[in-house]
Amino acid sequence: MEAPQYVAARVQQALAEDGRTHELGIRVDIRGDQLFLRGQVSGAEQRERLGQVAHEVAPELHVHNEINVVEANAPGEDEHLD
């Protein structure tokens, strides 16, 4: 069986390089046969895509998608510096 750190690195690389995700800020932790995804994204669809890619790369592990979806608000007023 492949060492957990290598599996985690392989999943992180896939999350960064897959055309569906392109995410660099997701943490991947492996504990036994459990794979945990942690981090923040701006939409629920992106969260689901990340879980799907992780499952495709490591189908032998049970994926726990603990990624938080954060609201991305429109910018406020311009800041004026005197």
Side-chain angles (χ1 to χ4, degrees):
M1 180 170 178
E2 192 174 14
Q5 63 268 27
Y6 294 124
V7 177
R10 194 164 34 90
V11 171
Q12 282 186 309
Q13 181 176 4
L15 297 178
E17 295 178 356
D18 191 285
R20 296 169 288 175
T21 54
H22 292 298
E23 284 289 341
L24 297 173
I26 302 302
R27 200 169 73 241
V28 178
D29 296 314
I30 297 178
R31 303 281 185 255
D33 66 347
Q34 310 291 307
L35 184 150
F36 296 87
L37 297 175
R38 296 184 177 109
Q40 296 181 338
V41 295
S42 60
E45 289 179 7
Q46 180 71 346
R47 179 184 186 274
E48 294 304 315
R49 285 191 297 265
L50 289 161
Q52 181 180 4
V53 169
H55 177 70
E56 291 171 5
V57 173
E60 70 281 3
L61 300 177
H62 181 72
V63 176
H64 297 274
N65 192 339
E66 298 180 352
I67 296 171
N68 294 317
V69 177
V70 295
E71 295 279 330
N73 297 328
E77 294 181 23
D78 291 341
E79 181 179 3
H80 298 284
L81 302 174
D82 293 325

